[in-house]
Amino acid sequence: MSRDARWKTLLDLLVERGRLDVEETAVELGVSAATVRRDLDQLAEQQLLVRTRGGAVVHGVSYELPLRYRTARRAPEKQRIARAVAELVSPGEAVGLTGGTTTTEVARALAVRGDLTAGSPALTVVTNALNIAGELAVRPQFKIVVTGGVARAQSYELVGPLADGVLGQITLDVAVLGVVAFDVTHGAAAHDEAEAAVDRMLCERAARVVVAADSGKLGRRAFARICAADAVDTLVTDAAADAGTVRRFEEAGIRVLAV
């Protein structure tokens, strides 16, 4: 296993468990304890975890992996979700995309849709995510609007009051939310309150709201609330979503597409 692969695995395990033990992790990865200690030390130097005696822990309740370390997690599910979300968008519409791994896949799915190749424009995309804007800016059939703000290294998203000036002047047909948690009672949520504030404004400016979230994010809650569940029109998730959880969303009036 390469170093990059080990690092991704270590960070994924840390997010899931909250704590890692060197000896147990070495056995699980099939490497030496010395290799795991060295990996954890190097990840701690990058402030991606906190070293402890015999292992490592996450930074705290608002812990969040930088986007570049999250792109490979549940990739097939996210791509299926993204294709389904892209099909909910009609030519000529104005679409808001928040940052995140799943919404990045949505942008890529929109970019290859055969019917979005003509028009004036074929699609208008409003986003606060620099990586999404960068990928779509080379598509001449798309009009790309980027909010103002200060960039967050973890997610490439622009946040802060500078975004208000743009978002307060536009109207969207649909807002597509990438979330870290979505629950019937607690609503859609993010780790960071500044990101949540921009995402919330995108929702408020949209005629309909779509949450794109893999099944691992359902029935969970996170620090910063984006919007209540009743503000969401459609949830697109993967086929592994718990049937009881799906039923609760449907009973709350949310259309659920499990792909």
Side-chain angles (χ1 to χ4, degrees):
M1 182 182 292
S2 68
R3 188 193 68 172
D4 287 346
R6 288 198 313 274
W7 283 16
K8 288 181 179 178
T9 301
L10 287 169
L11 291 168
D12 282 349
L13 291 173
L14 189 59
V15 169
E16 292 173 8
R17 302 172 184 177
R19 178 181 297 273
L20 291 180
D21 175 81
V22 168
E23 300 296 334
E24 293 176 359
T25 304
V27 172
E28 191 167 354
L29 269 59
V31 298
S32 69
T35 296
V36 173
R37 289 191 189 94
R38 183 170 60 250
D39 288 342
L40 295 179
D41 287 341
Q42 291 170 337
L43 290 169
E45 289 175 2
Q46 298 183 51
Q47 299 184 339
L48 294 172
L49 51 78
V50 176
R51 282 287 272 125
T52 63
R53 184 179 179 84
V57 296
V58 298
H59 280 290
V61 294
S62 62
Y63 180 77
E64 177 182 12
L65 283 176
L67 184 70
R68 63 186 181 276
Y69 290 108
R70 290 183 277 130
T71 52
R73 299 180 66 193
R74 294 179 178 262
E77 293 91 338
K78 291 176 181 180
Q79 289 163 2
R80 290 199 304 272
I81 291 167
R83 288 192 292 269
V85 171
E87 290 302 318
L88 299 176
V89 176
S90 299
E93 287 194 316
V95 182
L97 291 176
T98 69
T101 54
T102 307
T103 48
T104 297
E105 293 297 341
V106 171
R108 291 167 180 164
L110 289 170
V112 298
R113 256 185 56 177
D115 60 336
L116 296 178
T117 57
S120 302
L123 205 66
T124 297
V125 176
V126 179
T127 186
N128 67 322
L130 294 172
N131 65 310
I132 290 176
E135 290 203 25
L136 294 184
V138 297
R139 305 281 177 172
Q141 72 272 29
F142 291 170
K143 177 180 180 180
I144 309 302
V145 179
V146 183
T147 70
V150 178
R152 290 193 72 234
Q154 290 91 337
S155 64
Y156 309 144
E157 287 185 85
L158 299 172
V159 299
L162 290 174
D164 299 354
V166 172
L167 296 179
Q169 303 298 318
I170 63 171
T171 299
L172 301 170
D173 294 295
V174 57
V176 180
L177 298 184
V179 301
V180 298
F182 188 35
D183 178 74
V184 171
T185 302
H186 301 284
H191 284 301
D192 181 76
E193 66 278 6
E195 280 184 15
V198 175
D199 295 353
R200 187 180 310 116
M201 183 167 282
L202 278 169
C203 292
E204 293 169 352
R205 306 305 297 173
R208 63 188 192 276
V209 175
V210 175
V211 167
D214 64 70
S215 56
K217 296 173 181 175
L218 305 183
R220 303 180 65 178
R221 56 181 178 172
F223 174 71
R225 190 185 196 192
I226 298 170
C227 66
D230 61 12
V232 176
D233 299 281
T234 304
L235 164 64
V236 184
T237 187
D238 59 77
D242 175 73
T245 301
V246 169
R247 185 173 60 254
R248 286 190 289 276
F249 281 118
E250 291 176 333
E251 290 171 349
I254 299 170
R255 177 191 181 196
V256 180
L257 300 177
V259 298

